[in-house]
Amino acid sequence: MSTDQDKHKVEAVKGSFVRNPTKFHDSISTSPDAKYPPEAGRYRLYVSYACPWASRCLMVRKLKGLEEVISLTITGYRLDNLSTSNSKSKESSKYRGWNFEKDQDKESIFYNPHGFEYLDELYEHAHPGYRKEYEDQGKRAVYSVPVLFDEKTQTIVSNESAEIIKMFNSEFNSVCLNPDLDLEPKGMVSEMNRVDAIVYP
């Protein structure tokens, strides 16, 4: 059965940008047996200002009043070895994702608790052998933002922006400043999904 996403799928053509599939799809939930409950101070959001999909997570975090609930780290502006990022050759191993700024002031938006130099280190820390899993399949590893990281278990909860914004909207209402704000009203869900399938295939 085809979906709206299937109908609007972007075919890879030379010179075009093709979004890579994301790997981490766990959920933060208010369910009593949830693996990841919505606790204030437990999670950290990693984003790049250059990524529009990551930026929508920043918007929802702000609108829902989650700044004091979910910590934030902004990456640097460099994507070193980007020319090899879509290569299946050994050269693709040089790709490491966004860099981190060397700013260890805990009040800075660039602060990253582990002191990592590049985003690939965060992925490998959370999921040892991450790069090798891709390379064993003849693929290049994907080091994308946003990343929603659980600082308690040192695990990536999700690196899918569409899922993260839904969690921010509905699962943190007990601890956010604007619990009555619903950014996904029931009467608009169908239309929102239709548009999203076009702009985020």
Side-chain angles (χ1 to χ4, degrees):
M1 182 175 180
S2 64
T3 64
D4 284 345
Q5 294 253 349
D6 293 326
K7 293 175 185 176
H8 299 287
K9 189 173 289 184
V10 177
E11 298 295 332
V13 296
K14 187 174 182 180
S16 68
F17 175 79
V18 179
R19 183 168 54 87
N20 290 295
T22 50
K23 181 179 179 67
F24 300 94
H25 300 279
D26 274 320
S27 298
I28 294 171
S29 172
T30 56
S31 298
D33 60 346
K35 180 179 179 181
Y36 299 108
E39 299 174 2
R42 174 168 175 169
Y43 303 98
R44 179 172 293 272
L45 178 67
Y46 291 82
V47 303
S48 165
Y49 284 144
C51 177
W53 300 314
S55 293
R56 65 177 174 171
C57 295
L58 280 179
M59 295 176 194
V60 177
R61 177 177 176 268
K62 175 68 174 180
L63 290 169
K64 290 292 291 188
L66 289 166
E67 294 102 318
E68 301 301 319
V69 175
I70 298 170
S71 303
L72 176 66
T73 295
I74 303 296
T75 69
Y77 61 90
R78 295 199 317 276
L79 274 174
D80 285 358
N81 299 303
L82 182 59
S83 62
T84 65
S85 65
N86 287 312
S87 170
K88 294 182 180 180
S89 69
K90 291 182 179 179
E91 287 296 304
S92 67
S93 64
K94 295 180 180 179
Y95 177 64
R96 304 188 63 188
W98 294 102
N99 75 298
F100 288 112
E101 298 292 347
K102 295 180 180 180
D103 188 340
Q104 291 306 299
D105 177 357
K106 291 185 178 181
E107 301 302 316
S108 170
I109 58 173
F110 299 109
Y111 172 69
N112 84 90
H114 300 94
F116 292 144
E117 187 177 4
Y118 286 94
L119 190 61
D120 67 334
E121 295 172 83
L122 179 68
Y123 273 78
E124 198 68 30
H125 172 78
H127 189 87
Y130 179 83
R131 182 189 292 274
K132 188 174 185 302
E133 286 182 10
Y134 280 85
E135 292 180 345
D136 285 349
Q137 301 175 56
K139 301 177 181 178
R140 68 95 167 172
V142 178
Y143 302 115
S144 61
V145 288
V147 171
L148 183 59
F149 187 80
D150 178 16
E151 298 193 306
K152 182 176 182 179
T153 62
Q154 294 293 297
T155 304
I156 294 174
V157 179
S158 177
N159 64 338
E160 173 51 65
S161 65
E163 296 168 358
I164 293 172
I165 59 174
K166 288 178 180 290
M167 287 183 257
F168 284 5
N169 181 56
S170 63
E171 301 304 316
F172 286 89
N173 285 334
S174 63
V175 290
C176 72
L177 294 180
N178 299 314
D180 295 329
L181 175 64
D182 185 4
L183 298 171
E184 192 179 32
K186 291 182 179 179
M188 298 183 66
V189 170
S190 179
E191 180 63 9
M192 290 171 70
N193 288 340
R194 185 190 70 81
V195 173
D196 196 47
I198 298 171
V199 300
Y200 190 68

